Amino acid sequence: MPPDLWDLHALMFKSRCFEEAVRQVWWQGKISGEMHLGMGEEGIVAGIVSQLQDGDAMALEHRGTPPLLMRGVDPLALLREFMGRPDGLCAGMGGHMHLFAPALLAASSGIVGASGPAAVGFALAGQSQRPGSVALAFFGDGATSQGMLLESMNLAVVWKLPVIFVCKDNAWAITTPAEGAVGGNLRARAEAFGMPAWEVDGRDVTAVWQVAQVALQSARAGNGPAFIWAHCIHLEGHFLGDGLLDMLRRPVYSLQKRGWPMLKSFLRPKGALWGERIASLRQVLSNVAAAQAQTNHHDDPLTFSRRSLKAEDPARLAQLEKDIREKTRQLLASALSEGQPA
Ligand SMILES: Cc1ncc(C[n+]2csc(CCOP(=O)(O)OP(=O)(O)O)c2C)c(N)n1
Protein backbone atom coordinates (compact mmCIF):
# COMPACT_ATOMS: atom_id res chain seq x y z
CA MET A 1 0.00 0.00 0.00
CA PRO A 2 1.36 3.49 -0.83
CA PRO A 3 2.15 5.73 2.16
CA ASP A 4 -0.29 8.41 3.31
CA LEU A 5 1.48 11.69 2.55
CA TRP A 6 -0.76 13.54 5.04
CA ASP A 7 0.55 11.38 7.89
CA LEU A 8 4.14 11.69 6.77
CA HIS A 9 3.84 15.46 6.39
CA ALA A 10 2.33 15.72 9.89
CA LEU A 11 5.27 13.76 11.32
CA MET A 12 7.78 15.96 9.52
CA PHE A 13 6.02 19.18 10.43
CA LYS A 14 5.78 18.23 14.13
CA SER A 15 9.49 17.62 14.15
CA ARG A 16 10.17 20.89 12.34
CA CYS A 17 8.04 22.94 14.74
CA PHE A 18 9.63 21.27 17.75
CA GLU A 19 13.13 22.00 16.46
CA GLU A 20 12.14 25.59 15.73
CA ALA A 21 11.12 25.83 19.39
CA VAL A 22 14.44 24.29 20.43
CA ARG A 23 16.23 26.83 18.25
CA GLN A 24 14.39 29.65 20.01
CA VAL A 25 15.27 28.30 23.47
CA TRP A 26 18.90 27.78 22.45
CA TRP A 27 19.25 31.37 21.21
CA GLN A 28 17.73 32.52 24.50
CA GLY A 29 20.69 30.85 26.20
CA LYS A 30 18.56 28.28 28.05
CA ILE A 31 20.29 25.29 26.44
CA SER A 32 24.00 25.06 27.00
CA GLY A 33 26.55 23.70 24.55
CA GLU A 34 26.18 22.81 20.91
CA MET A 35 22.84 22.01 19.29
CA HIS A 36 22.66 19.92 16.10
CA LEU A 37 19.22 19.97 14.52
CA GLY A 38 17.78 17.63 11.92
CA MET A 39 15.99 20.37 9.94
CA GLY A 40 16.27 19.25 6.32
CA GLU A 41 16.54 15.54 7.13
CA GLU A 42 12.87 15.00 8.05
CA GLY A 43 12.03 13.34 4.71
CA ILE A 44 14.56 10.59 5.35
CA VAL A 45 13.64 10.09 8.99
CA ALA A 46 9.86 10.09 8.49
CA GLY A 47 10.05 7.78 5.46
CA ILE A 48 11.83 5.15 7.54
CA VAL A 49 10.80 5.62 11.17
CA SER A 50 7.09 5.70 10.28
CA GLN A 51 7.40 2.03 9.29
CA LEU A 52 8.95 0.76 12.52
CA GLN A 53 7.08 -1.71 14.69
CA ASP A 54 7.14 -2.71 18.35
CA GLY A 55 10.46 -4.36 19.13
CA ASP A 56 12.42 -2.44 16.46
CA ALA A 57 15.44 -0.47 17.64
CA MET A 58 17.17 2.77 16.63
CA ALA A 59 20.84 3.68 17.03
CA LEU A 60 21.20 7.41 16.45
CA GLU A 61 23.97 9.98 16.08
CA HIS A 62 24.16 13.65 17.05
CA ARG A 63 20.93 14.53 15.20
CA GLY A 64 18.64 12.26 17.21
CA THR A 65 15.76 14.64 17.87
CA PRO A 66 13.58 13.96 14.76
CA PRO A 67 13.75 10.13 14.96
CA LEU A 68 13.01 10.12 18.68
CA LEU A 69 10.04 12.46 18.27
CA MET A 70 8.69 10.51 15.30
CA ARG A 71 9.04 7.28 17.25
CA GLY A 72 6.89 8.72 20.02
CA VAL A 73 9.20 10.10 22.72
CA ASP A 74 7.48 12.70 24.90
CA PRO A 75 8.53 16.10 23.44
CA LEU A 76 8.35 17.79 26.83
CA ALA A 77 10.77 15.22 28.31
CA LEU A 78 13.07 15.91 25.37
CA LEU A 79 12.94 19.68 25.75
CA ARG A 80 13.55 19.43 29.50
CA GLU A 81 16.52 17.16 28.75
CA PHE A 82 18.03 19.72 26.40
CA MET A 83 17.62 22.34 29.13
CA GLY A 84 19.58 20.11 31.52
CA ARG A 85 16.65 19.59 33.87
CA PRO A 86 16.50 16.60 36.27
CA ASP A 87 13.01 15.76 34.94
CA GLY A 88 14.35 15.44 31.38
CA LEU A 89 14.40 12.22 29.37
CA CYS A 90 17.82 11.27 30.80
CA ALA A 91 17.64 13.29 34.03
CA GLY A 92 19.34 16.21 32.27
CA MET A 93 22.61 14.26 32.00
CA GLY A 94 22.56 13.37 28.28
CA GLY A 95 21.88 16.69 26.59
CA HIS A 96 20.79 16.48 22.96
CA MET A 97 23.54 14.10 21.85
CA HIS A 98 23.46 11.28 24.38
CA LEU A 99 19.86 10.23 24.64
CA PHE A 100 18.34 6.96 25.73
CA ALA A 101 14.71 5.86 25.53
CA PRO A 102 14.81 2.26 26.81
CA ALA A 103 11.11 1.55 26.24
CA LEU A 104 11.57 2.40 22.56
CA LEU A 105 14.96 0.67 22.25
CA ALA A 106 16.49 3.93 21.06
CA ALA A 107 19.88 5.38 21.94
CA SER A 108 22.05 8.13 20.51
CA SER A 109 25.74 8.95 20.68
CA GLY A 110 27.82 11.97 19.66
CA ILE A 111 30.72 9.72 18.65
CA VAL A 112 30.68 9.78 14.85
CA GLY A 113 30.21 6.22 13.52
CA ALA A 114 29.07 4.75 16.85
CA SER A 115 25.55 4.09 15.64
CA GLY A 116 26.95 1.20 13.55
CA PRO A 117 28.14 -1.01 16.44
CA ALA A 118 25.14 0.00 18.57
CA ALA A 119 22.71 -1.10 15.82
CA VAL A 120 24.59 -4.37 15.39
CA GLY A 121 24.22 -5.00 19.13
CA PHE A 122 20.50 -4.18 19.01
CA ALA A 123 20.06 -6.48 15.99
CA LEU A 124 22.03 -9.35 17.55
CA ALA A 125 19.79 -9.22 20.62
CA GLY A 126 16.72 -8.83 18.40
CA GLN A 127 17.61 -11.88 16.34
CA SER A 128 17.12 -14.17 19.34
CA GLN A 129 14.78 -12.16 21.57
CA ARG A 130 12.52 -10.37 19.05
CA PRO A 131 12.50 -12.37 15.79
CA GLY A 132 11.33 -10.32 12.83
CA SER A 133 12.51 -7.06 14.39
CA VAL A 134 15.06 -4.67 12.83
CA ALA A 135 17.60 -2.14 14.07
CA LEU A 136 18.27 1.16 12.32
CA ALA A 137 21.65 2.90 12.25
CA PHE A 138 21.45 6.56 11.27
CA PHE A 139 24.68 8.40 10.41
CA GLY A 140 26.05 11.15 8.16
CA ASP A 141 28.48 10.99 5.26
CA GLY A 142 31.28 11.96 7.66
CA ALA A 143 30.89 8.61 9.42
CA THR A 144 31.13 6.45 6.32
CA SER A 145 34.88 5.90 6.50
CA GLN A 146 34.99 5.34 10.25
CA GLY A 147 36.49 1.93 11.00
CA MET A 148 33.81 0.94 13.49
CA LEU A 149 31.01 1.63 11.02
CA LEU A 150 32.68 -0.42 8.28
CA GLU A 151 33.38 -3.26 10.74
CA SER A 152 29.70 -3.18 11.77
CA MET A 153 28.59 -3.47 8.16
CA ASN A 154 30.87 -6.44 7.65
CA LEU A 155 29.72 -8.18 10.84
CA ALA A 156 26.07 -7.54 10.04
CA VAL A 157 26.50 -9.26 6.66
CA VAL A 158 28.47 -12.19 8.07
CA TRP A 159 25.98 -12.76 10.91
CA LYS A 160 22.95 -11.92 8.69
CA LEU A 161 21.77 -9.31 11.16
CA PRO A 162 18.60 -7.27 10.49
CA VAL A 163 20.26 -3.84 10.40
CA ILE A 164 19.22 -0.99 8.09
CA PHE A 165 22.22 1.29 7.68
CA VAL A 166 21.00 4.78 6.72
CA CYS A 167 23.43 7.41 5.50
CA LYS A 168 21.88 10.90 5.60
CA ASP A 169 24.29 12.56 3.21
CA ASN A 170 24.38 16.36 3.18
CA ALA A 171 27.81 16.25 1.48
CA TRP A 172 29.52 17.96 4.40
CA ALA A 173 31.08 16.94 7.73
CA ILE A 174 31.22 20.28 9.56
CA THR A 175 33.49 22.15 7.08
CA THR A 176 34.92 19.12 5.26
CA PRO A 177 33.25 18.48 1.89
CA ALA A 178 32.45 14.82 1.22
CA GLU A 179 34.29 14.95 -2.12
CA GLY A 180 37.53 15.49 -0.18
CA ALA A 181 36.89 12.76 2.39
CA VAL A 182 34.69 10.00 0.97
CA GLY A 183 36.25 7.78 -1.70
CA GLY A 184 34.26 5.88 -4.32
CA ASN A 185 30.52 5.42 -4.39
CA LEU A 186 28.69 4.64 -1.14
CA ARG A 187 26.12 2.41 -2.76
CA ALA A 188 28.87 0.36 -4.43
CA ARG A 189 30.72 0.17 -1.12
CA ALA A 190 27.70 -1.32 0.66
CA GLU A 191 27.09 -3.74 -2.22
CA ALA A 192 30.72 -4.82 -2.01
CA PHE A 193 30.04 -5.94 1.56
CA GLY A 194 27.24 -8.11 0.17
CA MET A 195 24.12 -6.16 1.15
CA PRO A 196 21.39 -4.66 -1.04
CA ALA A 197 21.73 -0.88 -1.32
CA TRP A 198 19.65 2.01 -2.63
CA GLU A 199 20.36 5.67 -3.38
CA VAL A 200 17.40 7.97 -2.89
CA ASP A 201 16.48 11.67 -2.90
CA GLY A 202 15.92 12.40 0.79
CA ARG A 203 13.81 15.46 -0.02
CA ASP A 204 11.10 13.14 -1.28
CA VAL A 205 9.56 11.39 1.72
CA THR A 206 7.46 9.09 -0.47
CA ALA A 207 10.52 7.89 -2.38
CA VAL A 208 12.33 7.22 0.91
CA TRP A 209 9.28 5.38 2.28
CA GLN A 210 9.16 3.12 -0.77
CA VAL A 211 12.84 2.21 -0.65
CA ALA A 212 12.66 1.68 3.11
CA GLN A 213 9.67 -0.63 2.76
CA VAL A 214 11.69 -3.00 0.56
CA ALA A 215 14.78 -2.77 2.81
CA LEU A 216 12.76 -3.40 5.98
CA GLN A 217 10.90 -6.36 4.46
CA SER A 218 14.16 -7.92 3.39
CA ALA A 219 15.78 -7.49 6.83
CA ARG A 220 12.67 -8.73 8.68
CA ALA A 221 12.59 -11.84 6.46
CA GLY A 222 16.08 -12.82 7.68
CA ASN A 223 18.06 -11.74 4.60
CA GLY A 224 20.57 -9.69 6.59
CA PRO A 225 21.33 -5.97 6.48
CA ALA A 226 20.52 -3.33 3.88
CA PHE A 227 21.89 0.12 3.12
CA ILE A 228 20.02 3.31 2.23
CA TRP A 229 21.98 6.29 0.94
CA ALA A 230 19.74 9.35 1.09
CA HIS A 231 20.68 12.90 0.13
CA CYS A 232 19.58 15.90 2.19
CA ILE A 233 20.46 19.42 3.30
CA HIS A 234 20.88 20.97 6.76
CA LEU A 235 18.83 24.13 6.98
CA GLU A 236 20.69 25.33 10.08
CA GLY A 237 24.16 24.31 8.89
CA HIS A 238 26.23 21.99 11.07
CA PHE A 239 24.88 23.35 14.34
CA LEU A 240 23.03 26.36 15.70
CA GLY A 241 25.19 29.45 15.43
CA ASP A 242 27.16 27.82 12.55
CA GLY A 243 30.03 30.25 11.82
CA LEU A 244 29.67 30.01 8.04
CA LEU A 245 25.95 30.75 8.08
CA ASP A 246 26.53 33.45 10.67
CA MET A 247 28.63 35.35 8.14
CA LEU A 248 25.56 35.53 5.90
CA ARG A 249 22.90 36.01 8.54
CA ARG A 250 24.72 38.42 10.88
CA PRO A 251 27.40 40.03 8.70
CA VAL A 252 28.09 42.99 11.00
CA TYR A 253 28.43 40.83 14.12
CA SER A 254 30.52 38.30 12.20
CA LEU A 255 32.82 40.96 10.83
CA GLN A 256 33.43 42.26 14.35
CA LYS A 257 33.96 38.77 15.76
CA ARG A 258 35.85 37.05 12.95
CA GLY A 259 36.94 39.76 10.49
CA TRP A 260 39.72 41.26 12.59
CA PRO A 261 41.34 37.95 13.68
CA MET A 262 41.20 36.75 10.07
CA LEU A 263 42.76 39.95 8.76
CA LYS A 264 45.47 39.82 11.48
CA SER A 265 46.43 36.26 10.60
CA PHE A 266 46.29 37.05 6.90
CA LEU A 267 48.76 39.95 7.31
CA ARG A 268 51.12 38.28 9.82
CA PRO A 269 54.72 39.00 8.85
CA LYS A 270 55.78 35.36 9.45
CA GLY A 271 53.95 32.23 8.34
CA ALA A 272 52.52 30.76 5.17
CA LEU A 273 53.35 31.97 1.68
CA TRP A 274 51.07 34.63 0.18
CA GLY A 275 49.68 32.23 -2.36
CA GLU A 276 48.64 29.82 0.43
CA ARG A 277 47.05 32.62 2.44
CA ILE A 278 45.01 33.77 -0.53
CA ALA A 279 43.98 30.17 -1.26
CA SER A 280 42.84 29.74 2.37
CA LEU A 281 40.80 32.91 2.26
CA ARG A 282 39.20 31.77 -0.99
CA GLN A 283 38.40 28.44 0.66
CA VAL A 284 36.60 30.20 3.52
CA LEU A 285 34.56 32.26 1.06
CA SER A 286 33.65 29.21 -1.01
CA ASN A 287 32.62 27.36 2.18
CA VAL A 288 30.31 30.28 3.02
CA ALA A 289 28.72 30.00 -0.44
CA ALA A 290 28.33 26.24 0.01
CA ALA A 291 26.76 26.76 3.44
CA GLN A 292 24.21 29.04 1.84
CA ALA A 293 23.38 26.35 -0.73
CA GLN A 294 22.73 23.96 2.19
CA THR A 295 19.94 26.18 3.40
CA ASN A 296 18.07 26.41 0.12
CA HIS A 297 14.38 26.03 0.93
CA HIS A 298 13.73 24.57 -2.54
CA ASP A 299 15.53 21.47 -1.24
CA ASP A 300 13.51 21.34 1.97
CA PRO A 301 11.55 18.04 2.26
CA LEU A 302 8.60 20.01 3.64
CA THR A 303 8.51 22.17 0.52
CA PHE A 304 8.21 18.94 -1.47
CA SER A 305 5.36 17.38 0.51
CA ARG A 306 3.56 20.72 0.89
CA ARG A 307 3.48 21.15 -2.88
CA SER A 308 1.49 17.91 -3.38
CA LEU A 309 -0.78 18.40 -0.38
CA LYS A 310 -1.58 22.02 -1.26
CA ALA A 311 -2.68 20.90 -4.72
CA GLU A 312 -4.90 18.26 -3.12
CA ASP A 313 -6.56 20.25 -0.31
CA PRO A 314 -5.09 23.65 0.71
CA ALA A 315 -7.56 24.24 3.56
CA ARG A 316 -6.82 20.86 5.15
CA LEU A 317 -3.09 21.53 4.93
CA ALA A 318 -3.43 24.97 6.53
CA GLN A 319 -5.51 23.52 9.39
CA LEU A 320 -3.11 20.62 9.95
CA GLU A 321 -0.13 22.95 10.23
CA LYS A 322 -2.03 25.46 12.37
CA ASP A 323 -2.95 22.74 14.90
CA ILE A 324 0.60 21.42 15.11
CA ARG A 325 1.99 24.95 15.50
CA GLU A 326 -0.45 25.65 18.30
CA LYS A 327 0.40 22.43 20.16
CA THR A 328 4.10 23.23 19.91
CA ARG A 329 3.49 26.76 21.18
CA GLN A 330 1.68 25.36 24.23
CA LEU A 331 4.46 22.85 24.84
CA LEU A 332 7.10 25.56 24.70
CA ALA A 333 5.12 27.85 26.99
CA SER A 334 4.70 25.10 29.54
CA ALA A 335 8.42 24.13 29.42
CA LEU A 336 9.51 27.75 29.86
CA SER A 337 7.09 28.46 32.70
CA GLU A 338 8.16 25.45 34.77
CA GLY A 339 10.39 25.90 37.77
CA GLN A 340 13.09 23.34 38.52
CA PRO A 341 11.53 20.27 40.21
CA ALA A 342 12.25 19.92 43.92
C1 LIG B 1 34.83 9.91 16.36
C2 LIG B 1 34.51 11.39 16.23
N1 LIG B 1 35.32 12.17 15.50
C3 LIG B 1 35.06 13.49 15.38
C4 LIG B 1 33.96 14.04 16.00
C5 LIG B 1 33.63 15.52 15.85
N2 LIG B 1 32.48 15.67 14.97
C6 LIG B 1 31.24 15.90 15.45
S1 LIG B 1 30.09 15.99 14.25
C7 LIG B 1 31.25 15.76 13.07
C8 LIG B 1 30.87 15.75 11.61
C9 LIG B 1 29.99 14.65 11.28
O1 LIG B 1 29.63 14.73 9.93
P1 LIG B 1 28.54 13.78 9.35
O2 LIG B 1 28.79 12.40 9.85
O3 LIG B 1 28.52 13.97 7.89
O4 LIG B 1 27.20 14.25 10.02
P2 LIG B 1 26.46 15.66 9.87
O5 LIG B 1 26.92 16.50 11.03
O6 LIG B 1 26.80 16.25 8.55
O7 LIG B 1 25.03 15.31 10.01
C10 LIG B 1 32.52 15.60 13.60
C11 LIG B 1 33.75 15.36 12.82
C12 LIG B 1 33.15 13.19 16.78
N3 LIG B 1 32.08 13.64 17.42
N4 LIG B 1 33.42 11.86 16.86
Side-chain angles (χ1 to χ4, degrees), residues 144-160:
T144 53
S145 298
Q146 274 284 6
M148 63 178 142
L149 184 69
L150 297 169
E151 289 175 39
S152 314
M153 288 179 160
N154 182 57
L155 208 55
V157 169
V158 172
W159 288 350
K160 272 197 153 192

PDB file of all heavy atoms in Angstrom, residues 144-160:
ATOM      1  N   THR A 144      31.091   7.622   7.205  1.00  0.00           N
ATOM      2  CA  THR A 144      31.126   6.448   6.321  1.00  0.00           C
ATOM      3  C   THR A 144      32.506   5.817   6.170  1.00  0.00           C
ATOM      4  O   THR A 144      32.598   4.700   5.671  1.00  0.00           O
ATOM      5  CB  THR A 144      30.579   6.797   4.912  1.00  0.00           C
ATOM      6  OG1 THR A 144      31.284   7.942   4.432  1.00  0.00           O
ATOM      7  CG2 THR A 144      29.092   7.096   4.970  1.00  0.00           C
ATOM      8  N   SER A 145      33.562   6.535   6.574  1.00  0.00           N
ATOM      9  CA  SER A 145      34.883   5.898   6.498  1.00  0.00           C
ATOM     10  C   SER A 145      35.430   5.594   7.882  1.00  0.00           C
ATOM     11  O   SER A 145      36.613   5.268   8.031  1.00  0.00           O
ATOM     12  CB  SER A 145      35.857   6.783   5.710  1.00  0.00           C
ATOM     13  OG  SER A 145      35.372   6.915   4.389  1.00  0.00           O
ATOM     14  N   GLN A 146      34.590   5.706   8.881  1.00  0.00           N
ATOM     15  CA  GLN A 146      34.990   5.338  10.252  1.00  0.00           C
ATOM     16  C   GLN A 146      35.133   3.824  10.317  1.00  0.00           C
ATOM     17  O   GLN A 146      34.231   3.093   9.881  1.00  0.00           O
ATOM     18  CB  GLN A 146      33.911   5.773  11.253  1.00  0.00           C
ATOM     19  CG  GLN A 146      34.050   7.185  11.723  1.00  0.00           C
ATOM     20  CD  GLN A 146      35.156   7.342  12.746  1.00  0.00           C
ATOM     21  OE1 GLN A 146      35.904   6.408  13.025  1.00  0.00           O
ATOM     22  NE2 GLN A 146      35.277   8.522  13.313  1.00  0.00           N
ATOM     23  N   GLY A 147      36.234   3.364  10.905  1.00  0.00           N
ATOM     24  CA  GLY A 147      36.488   1.925  10.997  1.00  0.00           C
ATOM     25  C   GLY A 147      35.353   1.165  11.646  1.00  0.00           C
ATOM     26  O   GLY A 147      34.905   0.125  11.154  1.00  0.00           O
ATOM     27  N   MET A 148      34.845   1.712  12.753  1.00  0.00           N
ATOM     28  CA  MET A 148      33.814   0.940  13.492  1.00  0.00           C
ATOM     29  C   MET A 148      32.529   0.781  12.678  1.00  0.00           C
ATOM     30  O   MET A 148      31.842  -0.230  12.789  1.00  0.00           O
ATOM     31  CB  MET A 148      33.528   1.550  14.863  1.00  0.00           C
ATOM     32  CG  MET A 148      32.959   2.921  14.858  1.00  0.00           C
ATOM     33  SD  MET A 148      32.650   3.445  16.550  1.00  0.00           S
ATOM     34  CE  MET A 148      33.107   5.151  16.467  1.00  0.00           C
ATOM     35  N   LEU A 149      32.230   1.754  11.838  1.00  0.00           N
ATOM     36  CA  LEU A 149      31.012   1.629  11.017  1.00  0.00           C
ATOM     37  C   LEU A 149      31.222   0.558   9.939  1.00  0.00           C
ATOM     38  O   LEU A 149      30.354  -0.295   9.709  1.00  0.00           O
ATOM     39  CB  LEU A 149      30.652   2.972  10.384  1.00  0.00           C
ATOM     40  CG  LEU A 149      29.353   2.942   9.601  1.00  0.00           C
ATOM     41  CD1 LEU A 149      28.151   2.780  10.526  1.00  0.00           C
ATOM     42  CD2 LEU A 149      29.168   4.194   8.762  1.00  0.00           C
ATOM     43  N   LEU A 150      32.393   0.571   9.323  1.00  0.00           N
ATOM     44  CA  LEU A 150      32.679  -0.423   8.276  1.00  0.00           C
ATOM     45  C   LEU A 150      32.748  -1.830   8.883  1.00  0.00           C
ATOM     46  O   LEU A 150      32.265  -2.796   8.291  1.00  0.00           O
ATOM     47  CB  LEU A 150      33.991  -0.044   7.571  1.00  0.00           C
ATOM     48  CG  LEU A 150      33.920   1.308   6.839  1.00  0.00           C
ATOM     49  CD1 LEU A 150      35.294   1.773   6.389  1.00  0.00           C
ATOM     50  CD2 LEU A 150      32.988   1.232   5.638  1.00  0.00           C
ATOM     51  N   GLU A 151      33.336  -1.953  10.069  1.00  0.00           N
ATOM     52  CA  GLU A 151      33.384  -3.259  10.745  1.00  0.00           C
ATOM     53  C   GLU A 151      31.970  -3.741  11.058  1.00  0.00           C
ATOM     54  O   GLU A 151      31.658  -4.928  10.951  1.00  0.00           O
ATOM     55  CB  GLU A 151      34.206  -3.163  12.029  1.00  0.00           C
ATOM     56  CG  GLU A 151      35.693  -2.992  11.774  1.00  0.00           C
ATOM     57  CD  GLU A 151      36.473  -2.766  13.065  1.00  0.00           C
ATOM     58  OE1 GLU A 151      36.152  -3.400  14.076  1.00  0.00           O
ATOM     59  OE2 GLU A 151      37.411  -1.949  13.036  1.00  0.00           O
ATOM     60  N   SER A 152      31.090  -2.809  11.455  1.00  0.00           N
ATOM     61  CA  SER A 152      29.701  -3.176  11.774  1.00  0.00           C
ATOM     62  C   SER A 152      28.992  -3.701  10.533  1.00  0.00           C
ATOM     63  O   SER A 152      28.236  -4.667  10.599  1.00  0.00           O
ATOM     64  CB  SER A 152      28.898  -1.977  12.262  1.00  0.00           C
ATOM     65  OG  SER A 152      29.611  -1.269  13.183  1.00  0.00           O
ATOM     66  N   MET A 153      29.234  -3.031   9.408  1.00  0.00           N
ATOM     67  CA  MET A 153      28.586  -3.470   8.162  1.00  0.00           C
ATOM     68  C   MET A 153      29.042  -4.889   7.826  1.00  0.00           C
ATOM     69  O   MET A 153      28.236  -5.748   7.461  1.00  0.00           O
ATOM     70  CB  MET A 153      28.940  -2.526   7.015  1.00  0.00           C
ATOM     71  CG  MET A 153      28.260  -1.189   7.120  1.00  0.00           C
ATOM     72  SD  MET A 153      28.767  -0.167   5.728  1.00  0.00           S
ATOM     73  CE  MET A 153      27.457   1.018   5.726  1.00  0.00           C
ATOM     74  N   ASN A 154      30.328  -5.113   7.955  1.00  0.00           N
ATOM     75  CA  ASN A 154      30.869  -6.437   7.650  1.00  0.00           C
ATOM     76  C   ASN A 154      30.256  -7.501   8.560  1.00  0.00           C
ATOM     77  O   ASN A 154      29.778  -8.539   8.105  1.00  0.00           O
ATOM     78  CB  ASN A 154      32.396  -6.401   7.805  1.00  0.00           C
ATOM     79  CG  ASN A 154      33.025  -7.728   7.452  1.00  0.00           C
ATOM     80  OD1 ASN A 154      32.844  -8.226   6.356  1.00  0.00           O
ATOM     81  ND2 ASN A 154      33.720  -8.327   8.403  1.00  0.00           N
ATOM     82  N   LEU A 155      30.246  -7.205   9.860  1.00  0.00           N
ATOM     83  CA  LEU A 155      29.719  -8.180  10.840  1.00  0.00           C
ATOM     84  C   LEU A 155      28.231  -8.444  10.600  1.00  0.00           C
ATOM     85  O   LEU A 155      27.762  -9.580  10.683  1.00  0.00           O
ATOM     86  CB  LEU A 155      29.938  -7.623  12.250  1.00  0.00           C
ATOM     87  CG  LEU A 155      30.095  -8.636  13.374  1.00  0.00           C
ATOM     88  CD1 LEU A 155      31.206  -9.625  13.065  1.00  0.00           C
ATOM     89  CD2 LEU A 155      30.410  -7.902  14.680  1.00  0.00           C
ATOM     90  N   ALA A 156      27.513  -7.382  10.278  1.00  0.00           N
ATOM     91  CA  ALA A 156      26.065  -7.538  10.044  1.00  0.00           C
ATOM     92  C   ALA A 156      25.806  -8.467   8.863  1.00  0.00           C
ATOM     93  O   ALA A 156      24.870  -9.272   8.883  1.00  0.00           O
ATOM     94  CB  ALA A 156      25.426  -6.171   9.803  1.00  0.00           C
ATOM     95  N   VAL A 157      26.655  -8.368   7.829  1.00  0.00           N
ATOM     96  CA  VAL A 157      26.497  -9.256   6.664  1.00  0.00           C
ATOM     97  C   VAL A 157      26.845 -10.690   7.059  1.00  0.00           C
ATOM     98  O   VAL A 157      26.086 -11.630   6.798  1.00  0.00           O
ATOM     99  CB  VAL A 157      27.391  -8.776   5.489  1.00  0.00           C
ATOM    100  CG1 VAL A 157      27.434  -9.821   4.385  1.00  0.00           C
ATOM    101  CG2 VAL A 157      26.872  -7.461   4.934  1.00  0.00           C
ATOM    102  N   VAL A 158      27.990 -10.845   7.722  1.00  0.00           N
ATOM    103  CA  VAL A 158      28.470 -12.190   8.070  1.00  0.00           C
ATOM    104  C   VAL A 158      27.474 -12.906   8.997  1.00  0.00           C
ATOM    105  O   VAL A 158      27.202 -14.093   8.838  1.00  0.00           O
ATOM    106  CB  VAL A 158      29.872 -12.087   8.723  1.00  0.00           C
ATOM    107  CG1 VAL A 158      30.313 -13.439   9.273  1.00  0.00           C
ATOM    108  CG2 VAL A 158      30.888 -11.602   7.700  1.00  0.00           C
ATOM    109  N   TRP A 159      26.912 -12.153   9.943  1.00  0.00           N
ATOM    110  CA  TRP A 159      25.977 -12.764  10.908  1.00  0.00           C
ATOM    111  C   TRP A 159      24.512 -12.618  10.452  1.00  0.00           C
ATOM    112  O   TRP A 159      23.605 -12.930  11.219  1.00  0.00           O
ATOM    113  CB  TRP A 159      26.149 -12.122  12.286  1.00  0.00           C
ATOM    114  CG  TRP A 159      27.414 -12.523  12.980  1.00  0.00           C
ATOM    115  CD1 TRP A 159      28.289 -13.495  12.606  1.00  0.00           C
ATOM    116  CD2 TRP A 159      27.958 -11.954  14.195  1.00  0.00           C
ATOM    117  NE1 TRP A 159      29.332 -13.572  13.487  1.00  0.00           N
ATOM    118  CE2 TRP A 159      29.152 -12.627  14.479  1.00  0.00           C
ATOM    119  CE3 TRP A 159      27.548 -10.939  15.049  1.00  0.00           C
ATOM    120  CZ2 TRP A 159      29.944 -12.341  15.586  1.00  0.00           C
ATOM    121  CZ3 TRP A 159      28.326 -10.636  16.159  1.00  0.00           C
ATOM    122  CH2 TRP A 159      29.509 -11.340  16.426  1.00  0.00           C
ATOM    123  N   LYS A 160      24.304 -12.101   9.245  1.00  0.00           N
ATOM    124  CA  LYS A 160      22.947 -11.923   8.692  1.00  0.00           C
ATOM    125  C   LYS A 160      22.038 -11.180   9.665  1.00  0.00           C
ATOM    126  O   LYS A 160      20.916 -11.630   9.965  1.00  0.00           O
ATOM    127  CB  LYS A 160      22.336 -13.280   8.342  1.00  0.00           C
ATOM    128  CG  LYS A 160      22.679 -13.752   6.939  1.00  0.00           C
ATOM    129  CD  LYS A 160      21.740 -14.853   6.522  1.00  0.00           C
ATOM    130  CE  LYS A 160      21.589 -14.876   5.015  1.00  0.00           C
ATOM    131  NZ  LYS A 160      20.531 -15.693   4.545  1.00  0.00           N
TER     132      LYS A 160
END
